[in-house]
Amino acid sequence: DSGVTQTPKHLITATGQRVTLRCSPRSGDLSVYWYQQSLDQGLQFLIQYYNGEERAKGNILERFSAQQFPDLHSELNLSSLELGDSALYFCASSAGTGTGGQQPQHFGDGTRLSIL
Amino acid sequence: GENVEQHPSTLSVQEGDSAVIKCTYSDSASNYFPWYKQELGKGPQLIIDIRSNVGEKKDQRIAVTLNKTAKHFSLHITETQPEDSAVYFCAASIARGGGNKLTFGTGTQLKVEL
């Protein structure tokens, strides 16, 4: 058990809809990362937050957004969903920001999103 | 941006044999290289990592080597066991502006046969 909690485990919805994925980081971790895993794209970095602030951004679609709350949990919002958004979405957390040396990232077990 | 290539895509070994997975990276500024093991239905699990100021690191049956000049790093698993069967991912990271994103390789499906 990595200590990173993601909910829900599975999500089935239709094209055009909006969903919210939730992540609780490990106790004491200030950084949260979101990754997308699909068969054709592999594991792709989406976005990082540190203590409520955005720190790094990958190839995240404009239809996707995220935030980190004062209690350090994070939410990933996906809107105007398309069939191609079907994937596993992972959250990871680490102790620091990356300045002064990267901290190991620990992953949750993901949310499987299926778009019908 | 950073690009990480990983080989082989599949690897089958007999129990007790060694397994080696190799990765190359493109950005010479990368300075942190973790390896993850992913089992079916689970998230990636960190198994070992190495920083650019170290050439080799070992943890029981698992070792990682890094060649900064050639920009490649490898995972070595000795005395493989059936429970080592999983998908293994290498990754590279550059600490830049407070960001710490991981760029992953495409994964290696390791099968340890009895």
Side-chain angles (χ1 to χ4, degrees):
Chain A
D1 183 7
S2 68
V4 178
T5 303
Q6 290 188 248
T7 56
K9 292 189 186 303
H10 304 277
L11 202 48
I12 303 173
T13 189
T15 55
Q17 296 299 303
R18 173 189 171 93
V19 297
T20 297
L21 313 183
R22 182 187 169 101
C23 169
S24 294
R26 293 189 321 161
S27 177
D29 283 357
L30 298 178
S31 275
V32 169
Y33 312 78
W34 287 97
Y35 292 85
Q36 180 192 60
Q37 185 175 39
S38 61
L39 283 175
D40 56 340
Q41 296 291 323
L43 263 166
Q44 298 281 324
F45 168 75
L46 296 178
I47 198 163
Q48 176 198 355
Y49 280 83
Y50 171 76
N51 204 20
E53 294 183 2
E54 182 184 308
R55 282 301 174 98
K57 212 167 187 177
N59 294 326
I60 186 169
L61 299 172
E62 285 190 8
R63 300 183 286 107
F64 295 2
S65 65
Q67 55 184 325
Q68 186 180 28
F69 294 86
D71 67 353
L72 301 177
H73 92 272
S74 178
E75 293 181 357
L76 179 67
N77 300 296
L78 315 176
S79 62
S80 303
L81 287 168
E82 302 175 359
L83 293 176
D85 297 329
S86 295
L88 276 165
Y89 291 85
F90 288 105
C91 171
S93 72
S94 72
T97 65
T99 56
Q102 289 92 325
Q103 299 297 315
Q105 295 183 28
H106 299 273
F107 283 72
D109 284 337
T111 292
R112 180 175 293 280
L113 177 63
S114 299
I115 312 299
L116 302 179
Chain B
E2 174 68 285
N3 182 53
V4 177
E5 293 190 358
Q6 182 172 347
H7 300 281
S9 57
T10 61
L11 180 58
S12 185
V13 300
Q14 294 293 315
E15 183 181 8
D17 287 350
S18 295
V20 180
I21 303 171
K22 299 182 179 183
C23 289
T24 59
Y25 59 98
S26 61
D27 195 329
S28 56
S30 289
N31 57 4
Y32 175 66
F33 308 91
W35 285 87
Y36 287 86
K37 174 184 181 183
Q38 187 175 21
E39 296 175 285
L40 201 60
K42 297 286 188 180
Q45 175 194 0
L46 180 68
I47 56 173
I48 196 167
D49 57 9
I50 192 168
R51 300 180 190 276
S52 58
N53 58 348
V54 175
E56 184 174 355
K57 184 177 178 180
K58 189 173 181 180
D59 182 5
Q60 299 183 338
R61 296 187 296 109
I62 295 173
V64 58
T65 58
L66 171 65
N67 183 326
K68 285 191 297 183
T69 303
K71 289 190 283 187
H72 69 69
F73 56 115
S74 300
L75 177 72
H76 304 253
I77 305 174
T78 59
E79 301 172 20
T80 53
Q81 301 167 4
E83 51 266 39
D84 293 330
S85 296
V87 180
Y88 290 80
F89 292 95
C90 63
S93 175
I94 306 168
R96 187 168 282 157
N100 188 15
K101 74 172 200 175
L102 293 175
T103 300
F104 283 89
T106 49
T108 297
Q109 175 77 60
L110 174 64
K111 183 177 180 182
V112 180
E113 298 176 333
L114 296 172

